[in-house]
Amino acid sequence: MTQTPSWVPDSVELVPHPSARDKCIAKTQFRPGSPILSTYAFAAILLDSEKGRRCDACFRIASHKTPLKRCSGCGSYWYCDAQCQAFQWRTHHKRICKGYNSHLSSPGYQALLEHQKLDSILLSHTLAQMSLSPDPYSFEDSSPVSVLMSLLPYPDDSIAAPAICPITPSPSDQLVSRLYARFGNNNFAIHSHLTTIGHGVFPISSRLFNHSCVPNAAVKYTLSPAQSIKMEVVALRDILPGEEICLPYLDPALLESREQILEISYGFKCNCSSSLFLRSVGRLPELPTSPSEMSLLARQLREFVGLSFGTGSTLPDKPLETIPPSLYCVLRESYMGSLSETFSEASHEGQYDLAIESGMTLLSLYVLVYPINYPQIGMHLLELAKTAWNVVIASAELNGGQEESLKEQASIFLTLARQVLTIFGPEGDDGGPLQEIVILEGLLSDGS
């Protein structure tokens, strides 16, 4: 009998999979919001847009009272305090600090594309940490490095690794190539309040969980001082014993492009119910061009999903594969993008009737495309609640009945948002959507 690796949580197990390497199944029942795995990043890197406003070690955002302190060696890393700086110095920075700026100005680095530059630094962080082990660049069974090197490589083995920071002792070219081959299809985007702020290497999560476009779990991140970024995998719905636990490797809303992305970047075809349905549909019909036809299409979508202004306290359950052929065109990625843009612009410009209508249509599409309790649904419900409240405070011409109706609908949106986002739980920076819900609930209560 094969011994279970020490890094596999007691509540799950790895079993053979007919087409993938293996699969992670539940050994016990997970309720919505239950933690499945907690694991720390082996290495992580901030996006360039976040450098200087977040700590390079813990990723927490700087406060006005305590500005970040710059590394006195390279001047290119910022920290909350001496504790965060000491933590990252011990982890990897002592190996790259001296040569970091010369690497950034080198022709090899400057020739890289922007995403390759991020890979170069993240790869350097990873190798620098490996170099600090008692036996540099070696790895023992069940260690994070061993798990990392056991991951399946990128399908295209012709892609060369980017240049890395000078590290002493130097890693072998073979090790650099082997490690980089496991980057593009295994690393995770790190987000705060669902906004990406960096990328990280999480070997255990990469090894455990297969992809599904209809996932039953999702990842969130905890940012704590002088610690690596912690990933938590939580259940989105009831997961029964024996059921596979899956994460989305990309946004499930990429209905037209996700199959190609999965094949090119990961080397497989997804056979979830959503993917099989889309494959059976084939090329999606074009969207209508006239405003009247688009308006009719939006109304038909809302009616099919069962959403209207005045919707009840539960969201309907409408699997994607139940959509009628007359609505196939709404599955084009451009339609969701257009709805999102219209809703955002109308909300900010005070066109509240248009904002509510487009927002409800977008919510209908989210219900179809995303699995139950997916956090993006909760975030959108919160935005709808804000929009309804803004109508109340900005419109002097509302009569008493209209105002009460809008407040009631805002309250319903908030209740639904709380249900979804409580399951996902708080993540990233302090505050966030759950705190916004509390504030808006207080405003509605004070105004009643």
Side-chain angles (χ1 to χ4, degrees), residues 208-350:
L208 281 175
F209 303 111
N210 290 325
H211 162 83
S212 175
C213 305
V214 193
N216 52 15
V219 300
K220 64 178 184 176
Y221 298 93
T222 300
L223 313 179
S224 300
Q227 287 188 7
S228 295
I229 315 306
K230 184 168 75 171
M231 172 194 284
E232 295 182 87
V233 179
V234 297
L236 293 177
R237 59 167 175 79
D238 283 315
I239 301 176
L240 300 178
E243 184 177 355
E244 182 177 8
I245 302 167
C246 292
L247 297 175
Y249 288 3
L250 40 68
D251 187 348
L254 298 173
L255 299 175
E256 292 179 282
S257 58
R258 70 190 189 194
E259 182 169 32
Q260 183 180 25
I261 295 173
L262 289 172
E263 282 197 82
I264 293 174
S265 298
Y266 299 93
F268 68 84
K269 279 190 175 184
C270 182
N271 289 316
C272 69
S273 57
S274 173
S275 292
L276 291 174
F277 168 71
L278 289 172
R279 218 170 286 152
S280 71
V281 170
R283 181 175 173 79
L284 296 172
E286 298 290 338
L287 288 160
T289 56
S290 74
S292 60
E293 289 178 307
M294 288 292 284
S295 179
L296 176 61
L297 182 69
R299 180 169 58 81
Q300 290 172 336
L301 173 59
R302 295 192 299 271
E303 290 175 351
F304 167 71
V305 173
L307 287 177
S308 61
F309 195 74
T311 190
S313 58
T314 59
L315 289 174
D317 182 15
K318 286 285 186 179
L320 182 67
E321 51 269 28
T322 63
I323 190 172
S326 60
L327 291 176
Y328 282 175
C329 61
V330 305
L331 304 181
R332 284 191 167 272
E333 292 172 17
S334 61
Y335 185 62
M336 181 178 286
S338 175
L339 279 176
S340 181
E341 184 177 349
T342 299
F343 172 66
S344 178
E345 290 182 355
S347 297
H348 286 93
E349 294 173 4

Side-chain angles (χ1 to χ4, degrees), residues 14-333:
L14 286 172
V15 300
H17 188 282
S19 57
R21 187 185 210 169
D22 43 36
K23 61 182 178 180
C24 179
I25 65 169
K27 291 170 64 176
T28 185
Q29 181 174 0
F30 291 102
R31 299 288 296 169
S34 297
I36 298 170
L37 172 73
S38 291
T39 183
Y40 288 93
F42 183 77
I45 182 176
L46 285 170
L47 297 182
D48 284 346
S49 59
E50 300 295 327
K51 290 280 286 184
R53 64 185 300 266
R54 291 181 180 274
C55 174
D56 277 286
C58 70
F59 282 26
R60 292 183 303 159
I61 200 162
S63 70
H64 296 297
K65 295 181 180 179
T66 55
L68 297 176
K69 298 171 176 59
R70 181 178 292 197
C71 173
S72 59
C74 64
S76 297
Y77 282 68
W78 286 262
Y79 300 102
C80 298
D81 49 34
Q83 287 71 35
C84 274
Q85 184 172 15
F87 167 74
Q88 190 166 74
W89 182 260
R90 294 191 306 269
T91 303
H92 63 71
H93 193 61
K94 65 182 346 180
R95 285 287 199 248
I96 64 173
C97 181
K98 186 176 180 180
Y100 184 79
N101 289 320
S102 62
H103 172 63
L104 293 191
S105 60
S106 67
Y109 181 83
Q110 290 298 320
L112 298 174
L113 300 174
E114 289 306 311
H115 75 276
Q116 293 173 321
K117 290 179 178 178
L118 286 175
D119 279 351
S120 168
I121 305 304
L122 184 56
L123 187 61
S124 299
H125 285 188
T126 306
L127 288 162
Q129 183 164 341
M130 293 171 65
S131 77
L132 287 164
S133 64
D135 185 7
Y137 303 116
S138 66
F139 38 91
E140 301 174 357
D141 290 344
S142 297
S143 70
V145 177
S146 176
V147 177
L148 173 59
M149 299 306 289
S150 75
L151 300 176
L152 294 176
Y154 190 75
D156 185 356
D157 59 7
S158 67
I159 298 178
I164 61 169
C165 292
I167 300 171
T168 303
S170 300
S172 68
D173 292 343
Q174 182 184 22
L175 175 61
V176 175
S177 296
R178 283 186 62 199
L179 185 58
Y180 185 65
R182 285 149 180 82
F183 257 50
N185 58 331
N186 285 296
N187 293 344
F188 287 82
I190 298 171
H191 41 75
S192 174
H193 309 159
L194 303 183
T195 298
T196 299
I197 59 174
H199 294 280
V201 180
F202 296 86
I204 294 175
S205 295
S206 298
R207 182 65 181 84
L208 281 175
F209 303 111
N210 290 325
H211 162 83
S212 175
C213 305
V214 193
N216 52 15
V219 300
K220 64 178 184 176
Y221 298 93
T222 300
L223 313 179
S224 300
Q227 287 188 7
S228 295
I229 315 306
K230 184 168 75 171
M231 172 194 284
E232 295 182 87
V233 179
V234 297
L236 293 177
R237 59 167 175 79
D238 283 315
I239 301 176
L240 300 178
E243 184 177 355
E244 182 177 8
I245 302 167
C246 292
L247 297 175
Y249 288 3
L250 40 68
D251 187 348
L254 298 173
L255 299 175
E256 292 179 282
S257 58
R258 70 190 189 194
E259 182 169 32
Q260 183 180 25
I261 295 173
L262 289 172
E263 282 197 82
I264 293 174
S265 298
Y266 299 93
F268 68 84
K269 279 190 175 184
C270 182
N271 289 316
C272 69
S273 57
S274 173
S275 292
L276 291 174
F277 168 71
L278 289 172
R279 218 170 286 152
S280 71
V281 170
R283 181 175 173 79
L284 296 172
E286 298 290 338
L287 288 160
T289 56
S290 74
S292 60
E293 289 178 307
M294 288 292 284
S295 179
L296 176 61
L297 182 69
R299 180 169 58 81
Q300 290 172 336
L301 173 59
R302 295 192 299 271
E303 290 175 351
F304 167 71
V305 173
L307 287 177
S308 61
F309 195 74
T311 190
S313 58
T314 59
L315 289 174
D317 182 15
K318 286 285 186 179
L320 182 67
E321 51 269 28
T322 63
I323 190 172
S326 60
L327 291 176
Y328 282 175
C329 61
V330 305
L331 304 181
R332 284 191 167 272
E333 292 172 17

